[in-house]
Amino acid sequence: NPARQPEVTRPIAQRLAGLRGQLKRWVLVHGLARWIWLLLAIAVVDMGLDSFFKMDFAKRLIVWILVLAVVAGWLVWRVLRPITKQVSDDALLLQVEAKNRQLQQKAITGYQLARETDFAQRGVSPELAEAAIAAGVREAQSIDFGSVLDQVRGRQNWMMLLSGLAAVALLGVGVSQT
């Protein structure tokens, strides 16, 4: 929680907030790209069914209700639910440290130590703790937190989303012309 962090770790907290925003965008694009392609797959299956079977209005209505339930369920389960999950600062820092082994857990140690207040009562040297905090902040400032996210997969997600939107637009134009 950035509100409980002291001023010394504010640069890390701000970078974690930026990473959290990048993560939400990454998950949103990933989920929406797959959702749009699900819509397109359902449209293709629906067109195939229409060419083989002649359905009356009641059957068509039942199929559309089922399709809408699947599409809405997918959107909630695979897009909206993951976006609303709150990832802790410690979990994000652990991922940053796992991707950047040269940190050697200095950033997470400094960040967690900064939350403590009474080092002497715990038998810890305040000077040593402050040095660990300063070293963690210094080391973390030289790291790109965004490197935690898979950039190649992120670009693939964007391409899937854009191509899916283009396919939906072309399908819309094609349907309106017939």
Side-chain angles (χ1 to χ4, degrees):
N1 184 2
R4 290 183 19 201
Q5 286 298 123
E7 188 65 32
V8 70
T9 58
R10 188 157 319 276
I12 295 176
Q14 290 171 339
R15 296 184 70 199
L16 287 172
L19 176 59
R20 188 172 285 110
Q22 288 176 331
L23 179 61
K24 285 189 185 282
R25 279 188 299 279
W26 197 97
V27 170
L28 179 67
V29 170
H30 176 82
L32 285 178
R34 274 126 188 99
W35 184 72
I36 285 178
W37 282 101
L38 173 69
L39 288 175
L40 289 168
I42 289 173
V44 167
V45 169
D46 182 56
M47 285 187 258
L49 288 174
D50 280 346
S51 66
F52 289 114
F53 303 106
K54 300 299 176 208
M55 290 192 238
D56 60 7
F57 179 75
K59 290 176 188 168
R60 168 73 44 207
L61 185 62
I62 290 170
V63 168
W64 274 106
I65 289 171
L66 291 173
V67 165
L68 287 176
V70 167
V71 168
W74 177 280
L75 184 66
V76 168
W77 192 258
R78 302 290 254 162
V79 179
L80 300 178
R81 199 176 121 246
I83 287 176
T84 60
K85 297 275 185 193
Q86 186 68 11
V87 180
S88 71
D89 288 349
D90 290 353
L92 288 174
L93 261 177
L94 285 172
Q95 290 301 312
V96 169
E97 297 238 1
K99 187 77 169 183
N100 300 283
R101 299 258 185 229
Q102 71 271 21
L103 285 175
Q104 300 173 344
Q105 297 190 350
K106 290 178 187 173
I108 188 74
T109 300
Y111 198 72
Q112 289 176 336
L113 279 174
R115 285 184 270 200
E116 300 297 323
T117 54
D118 194 10
F119 294 112
Q121 185 180 16
R122 295 178 184 259
V124 176
S125 164
E127 293 81 18
L128 184 59
E130 288 175 17
I133 293 168
V137 170
R138 186 175 51 253
E139 291 288 327
Q141 287 179 333
S142 66
I143 299 299
D144 176 21
F145 281 28
S147 69
V148 171
L149 301 174
D150 186 352
Q151 303 297 326
V152 172
R153 184 88 183 264
R155 283 190 292 277
Q156 289 171 348
N157 289 335
W158 272 107
M159 292 306 296
M160 280 184 69
L161 178 62
L162 294 175
S163 62
L165 289 172
V168 167
L170 289 173
L171 185 64
V173 169
V175 167
S176 71
Q177 297 296 318
T178 59

